[in-house]
């Protein structure tokens, strides 16, 4: 992520914000899709994330936190949409870019994403995404999510075990 | 494979930048509004159906109702046409009515068909100066259309000209969400909350109407459909027993599908055939033991 661009965005440069947001749009859409599992809702979540981030970026303390902050905002936007849903909706298939990937890699990615979507609860998803997508340390996750460090560790452990074993319990 | 790499393979749809730009545009627009203040549950639209007034707290097109303040400091909980939100109410912060011209000149056209649902709105707001609640009749109607091709369209029309002297606002909104209620979709009506969900055929909720138990009707204990009929694809009524009180259990076998009403909920279960569910009334039990009935026309198409 371009730190200078983020600093300009924090200082109120709208064009810089748009460029910055676009640079993380892949991650944000993917996060939204993981939670919402259909394109329309995921796009709504991205739009809501853009809205919230644009409104709140001036309060961001440091440019280096933009990416993880935007991902957390996308998670929260997705969860808000999920809570507003009154019923289960049919799900879209995961659509993957296969241009630069082998069929084996695409299949492996689909399987992994399916496990994340199907088998992790909301807290586990969030912890996994913050750790493995945003690269936050366990301490950073604990601070950001206001959870005891031990809870972060156990949540992450449980999530990884589920992904390994396909444990549905 | 690393999670990060797998996530990176998820294909981002064309047009995502448009969504981002819309989000930024909304943020910029909101920032330019002075004195933005969020008013939550205090603002609500009263709905009059068959003489009984209740609060419709959440009429949404896949979005939560928005709250915003106009230049005169008046707060509205309401329509954001660009984002397909619908008006649910407004609150006057300063006493007296504000200028609602921001809601004018919106008109989104769509092809219509057979009218299947209408409802009326009445707006109320709280005058904080003396605590009184003001109510204004609004000739507002919402209409669902089935276009005969399996698509359902929603239209909301409001004429604001009676709100206050000198204010004339015409509002018309039609969405182009399409589809019908999927098999298994439940129409829940319990815990003081009516929720009618229409699916757009792609699994996306196209319209939700919720009747909340917020003040001044917080004494609603339960609510359920009390009158409904089912029609087959040709419009023929299926069984007189399908009309009646849903406190018990009723099953309508439509051949390829089955409709079950049980404990205040109506469930449509089946994989074949088409039909139409028509609800003509909901019954709400109040805390003092009395009951009121909400009359209206709710019509839901279902089936493949």
């Amino acid at each position: 992520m371009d730190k200078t661009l983020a600093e300009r965005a924090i200082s109120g440069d709208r064009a810089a914000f748009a460029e910055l947001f676009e640079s993380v749009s892949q991650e944000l859409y993917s996060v939204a899709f993981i939670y919402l599992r259909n394109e329309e809702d995921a796009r709504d979540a991205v739009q809501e994330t853009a809205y919230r981030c644009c409104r709140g970026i001036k309060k961001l303390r440091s440019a280096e936190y933009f990416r993880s902050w935007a991902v957390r905002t996308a998670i929260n936007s997705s969860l808000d949409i999920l809570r507003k849903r009154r019923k289960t909706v049919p799900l879209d298939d995961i659509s993957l870019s296969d241009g630069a990937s082998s069929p084996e890699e695409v299949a492996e990615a689909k399987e992994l994403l399916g496990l994340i979507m199907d088998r992790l609860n909301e807290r586990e998803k969030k912890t996994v995404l913050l750790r493995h997508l945003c690269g936050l340390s366990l301490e950073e996750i604990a601070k950001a999510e206001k959870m005891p460090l031990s809870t972060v560790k156990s949540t992450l452990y449980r999530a990884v075990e589920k992904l390994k074993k396909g444990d549905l319990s | 494979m690393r999670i990060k790499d797998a996530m990176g393979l998820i294909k981002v749809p064309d047009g995502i930048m448009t969504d981002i730009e819309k989000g930024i545009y909304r943020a910029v627009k909101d920032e330019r509004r002075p004195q933005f203040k969020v008013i939550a549950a205090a603002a609500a639209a009263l709905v009059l159906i068959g003489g009984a007034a209740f609060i419709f707290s959440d009429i949404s097109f896949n979005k939560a109702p928005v709250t915003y303040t106009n230049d005169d400091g008046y707060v509205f909980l309401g329509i954001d046409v660009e984002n397909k939100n619908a008006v649910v109410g407004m609150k006057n912060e300063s006493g007296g009515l504000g200028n609602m011209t921001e809601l004018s000149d919106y008109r989104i056209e769509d092809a219509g068909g057979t009218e299947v649902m209408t409802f009326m709105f009445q707006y109320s707001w709280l005058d904080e100066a003396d605590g009184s609640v003001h109510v204004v009749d609004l000739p507002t109607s919402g209409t669902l259309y089935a276009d005969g091709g399996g698509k359902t369209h929603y239209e909301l029309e409001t004429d604001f000209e009676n709100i206050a002297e000198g204010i004339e606002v015409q509002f018309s909104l039609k969405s182009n969400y399409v589809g019908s209620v999927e098999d298994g979709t439940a129409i829940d009506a319990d815990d003081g909350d009516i929720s009618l969900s229409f699916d757009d055929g792609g699994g996306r909720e196209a319209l939700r109407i919720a009747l909340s138990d917020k003040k001044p009707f917080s004494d609603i204990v339960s609510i359920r459909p009390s009158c409904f009929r089912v029609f087959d694809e040709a419009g023929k009524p299926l069984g007189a027993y399908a009309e009646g009180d849903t406190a018990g259990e009723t099953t309508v076998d439509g051949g390829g599908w089955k409709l079950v009403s049980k404990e205040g909920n109506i469930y449509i279960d089946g994989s074949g055939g088409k039909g139409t569910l028509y609800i003509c009334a909901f019954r709400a039990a109040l805390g003092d033991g009395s009951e009121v009935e909400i009359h209206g026309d709710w019509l839901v198409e279902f089936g493949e």
Side-chain angles (χ1 to χ4, degrees), chain A residues 14 22 26 29-30 39-40 43-44 47-48 51 55 84 86-87 89-90 95-97 101 105 108 128, chain B residues 1 7-13 15 17 19 23 26-28 30-31 64 83 193 199 203-204 208:
Chain A
R14 289 285 175 233
E22 184 183 2
Q26 163 76 51
Y29 176 81
S30 300
E39 180 184 322
E40 292 298 321
R43 288 179 63 167
D44 282 348
Q47 183 187 141
E48 183 61 24
Y51 171 80
R55 291 293 305 268
K84 287 191 179 93
R86 298 289 177 95
K87 64 187 182 66
V89 298
S95 184
L96 298 185
S97 308
S101 307
E105 282 176 325
E108 194 180 346
V128 161
Chain B
M1 172 174 277
M7 298 277 289
L9 285 177
I10 292 179
K11 191 176 180 182
V12 179
M17 279 312 294
D19 297 318
R26 281 171 52 208
V28 172
D30 277 354
E31 278 184 5
N83 295 295
D193 188 294
D199 200 288
R204 180 183 165 122
R208 183 177 68 245

Side-chain angles (χ1 to χ4, degrees), chain B residues 38-185:
Chain B
V38 172
I39 303 297
L46 289 179
V47 180
L48 276 185
I49 303 172
F54 292 90
I55 296 175
F56 267 57
S57 65
D58 183 2
I59 298 175
S60 110
F61 294 83
N62 296 307
K63 298 279 186 183
V66 294
T67 307
Y68 56 90
T69 307
N70 73 358
D71 292 346
D72 297 319
Y74 297 106
V75 179
F76 300 92
L77 236 183
I79 296 174
D80 182 342
V81 173
E82 288 165 353
N83 295 295
K84 296 172 182 172
N85 291 325
V87 159
V88 293
M90 63 183 187
K91 181 178 180 181
N92 185 337
E93 276 288 275
S94 312
L97 280 165
N99 187 335
M100 294 188 69
T101 52
E102 284 188 69
L103 294 178
S104 66
D105 300 328
Y106 287 115
R107 190 167 186 88
I108 303 169
E109 292 292 343
D110 193 0
T114 306
E115 179 179 313
V116 294
M117 186 182 84
T118 60
F119 50 85
M120 295 295 293
F121 288 94
Q122 193 176 63
Y123 285 84
S124 70
W125 74 97
L126 177 70
D127 187 339
E128 290 190 325
D130 60 9
S132 61
V133 176
H134 300 260
V135 181
V136 174
D137 279 315
L138 279 178
T140 308
S141 65
T143 305
L144 269 174
Y145 292 98
D147 65 5
K151 295 181 179 179
T152 304
H153 304 273
Y154 179 68
E155 177 187 10
L156 178 67
E157 290 186 328
T158 305
D159 179 354
F160 289 99
E161 64 184 355
N162 293 328
I163 285 185
E165 189 177 349
I167 298 174
E168 291 189 9
V169 181
Q170 299 286 333
F171 176 79
S172 177
L173 170 68
K174 289 183 180 182
S175 81
N176 59 356
Y177 290 117
V178 297
S180 58
V181 174
E182 299 281 0
D183 292 338
T185 296

Side-chain angles (χ1 to χ4, degrees), chain A residues 78-106:
Chain A
S78 303
L79 290 174
D80 286 345
I81 289 174
L82 271 181
R83 288 184 193 111
K84 287 191 179 93
R85 276 186 190 166
R86 298 289 177 95
K87 64 187 182 66
T88 305
V89 298
L91 309 174
D92 293 348
D93 287 335
I94 307 172
S95 184
L96 298 185
S97 308
D98 53 1
S101 307
S102 68
E104 292 76 19
E105 282 176 325
V106 168

Side-chain angles (χ1 to χ4, degrees), chain A residues 115-131:
Chain A
L115 286 172
I116 293 171
M117 290 191 286
D118 291 337
R119 309 208 167 166
L120 302 189
N121 63 35
E122 287 181 6
R123 179 189 274 184
E124 289 164 350
K125 270 183 203 164
K126 195 171 194 176
T127 309
V128 161
L129 292 174
L130 292 177
R131 178 79 183 103

